[in-house]
Amino acid sequence: MIPIRNVAIIAHVDHGKTTLVDALLRQSKTKLKKDIADKEFIMDSNEIERERGITIFSKNASVEWNGHKINIIDTPGHADFGGEVERVLKMADGCLLLVDAKEGPMPQTRFVLRKALEMGLRVIVVINKIDKPDARPDYVLDKTFDLFVELESDDKTLDFQVIYASAKQGKAGYDASLNRMKDISPVFETIVKKIPAPSGDENKPLQMLITTIFGDNFKGRIATGRIYNGVIRSGQEITHINRSGEQKKYRLVSLMTYQGLDRIDADIVKTG
């Protein structure tokens, strides 16, 4: 089975999350449909998102890199959608925390980082937009470290990996020299190295946490979530347990997984 990494991308609004996701999708050689391949902000497909230039709804994508499948969750950066961030972080085992190389940590940075730490996620810090003429990456790194300390991080958490990037140019590196950067691969390398693999047991009974439900004209209700234990199969009978403990039985009409930005049909999906 191909190794999996589940990673969320979190940041204050306009610190470059969606631009970074674009770079990851393009440089992973993910096949993109012709109608979106030439667009900026590939993940912001909603009309309001494109009009306002911000991410409102969480998005999912999956890329393959050096024999690993990396599931990416692009989260909202605006404080008004903090509940959406908190919910979808439960699908991840780690996260990339983007911080603007000029502005440094902002109010939403504190909020999303606190939620990530409360969930025990492994955090990788990405200091983005170092191509700005007034970028100050050393200052921003110090302020980010101070934020971790203020949030009472332990020694292991404080020893976070730092990556410097210009997502707009599709480049990243382990130091702040833009001239020495070639591509975005240091981000992939660090995700594979630092983010733990899912720890579920496929031999246990099925447990799946649903984070998003939306309607489809052909398939009906589509639920997106993460399998924590067990195996799920197309056509399988399942039991839905709500917050009150009430149980209802359903039969799955279709089972899908992500490949790039597309949902593709699958016969079976295991823990991860």
Side-chain angles (χ1 to χ4, degrees), residues 133-253:
D134 48 0
R136 44 182 183 171
D138 293 338
Y139 169 84
V140 168
L141 177 57
D142 288 342
K143 288 298 182 182
T144 304
F145 184 85
D146 291 344
L147 178 58
F148 274 81
V149 173
E150 290 171 17
L151 295 176
E152 301 181 349
S153 303
D154 58 26
D155 290 343
K156 182 178 179 181
T157 305
L158 287 172
D159 188 27
F160 52 80
Q161 176 69 58
V162 181
I163 302 172
Y164 300 88
S166 169
K168 186 177 181 179
Q169 296 184 20
K171 295 180 178 180
Y174 297 107
D175 61 56
S177 175
L178 187 61
N179 293 332
R180 288 201 287 269
M181 297 178 185
K182 296 180 179 179
D183 53 31
I184 210 72
S185 60
V187 177
F188 286 124
E189 291 170 358
T190 306
I191 290 172
V192 169
K193 184 178 179 180
K194 297 294 185 179
I195 303 298
S199 58
D201 186 346
E202 64 183 63
N203 296 312
K204 290 184 177 181
L206 174 64
Q207 289 181 305
M208 181 175 179
L209 176 67
I210 302 300
T211 59
T212 308
I213 297 177
F214 60 94
D216 182 89
N217 291 334
F218 300 100
K219 294 181 180 293
R221 285 189 300 171
I222 296 180
T224 301
R226 173 178 173 174
I227 301 172
Y228 277 86
N229 286 302
V231 174
I232 191 167
R233 294 176 172 84
S234 181
Q236 177 178 337
E237 189 175 85
I238 60 171
T239 300
H240 171 249
I241 305 174
N242 66 17
R243 291 184 178 89
S244 302
E246 298 171 340
Q247 300 183 19
K248 290 184 179 180
K249 290 189 176 181
Y250 296 90
R251 184 172 297 278
L252 297 178
V253 175

Side-chain angles (χ1 to χ4, degrees), residues 85-131:
V85 175
E86 186 173 1
R87 184 170 66 252
V88 299
L89 281 179
K90 295 177 181 177
M91 294 178 63
D93 297 296
C95 61
L96 301 180
L97 176 69
L98 264 70
V99 185
D100 186 291
K102 175 189 175 184
E103 294 182 354
M106 301 292 280
Q108 184 70 355
T109 313
R110 174 183 290 272
F111 173 81
V112 293
L113 178 58
R114 179 188 289 114
K115 293 301 179 184
L117 295 177
E118 287 174 354
M119 294 179 189
L121 301 183
R122 189 65 183 270
V123 181
I124 299 167
V125 173
V126 181
I127 298 179
N128 191 30
K129 301 190 179 183
I130 65 164
D131 53 309

Side-chain angles (χ1 to χ4, degrees), residues 61-75:
S62 177
V63 302
E64 290 192 15
W65 187 83
N66 280 11
H68 290 74
K69 180 177 182 179
I70 301 174
N71 294 317
I72 300 171
I73 307 161
D74 182 19
T75 65

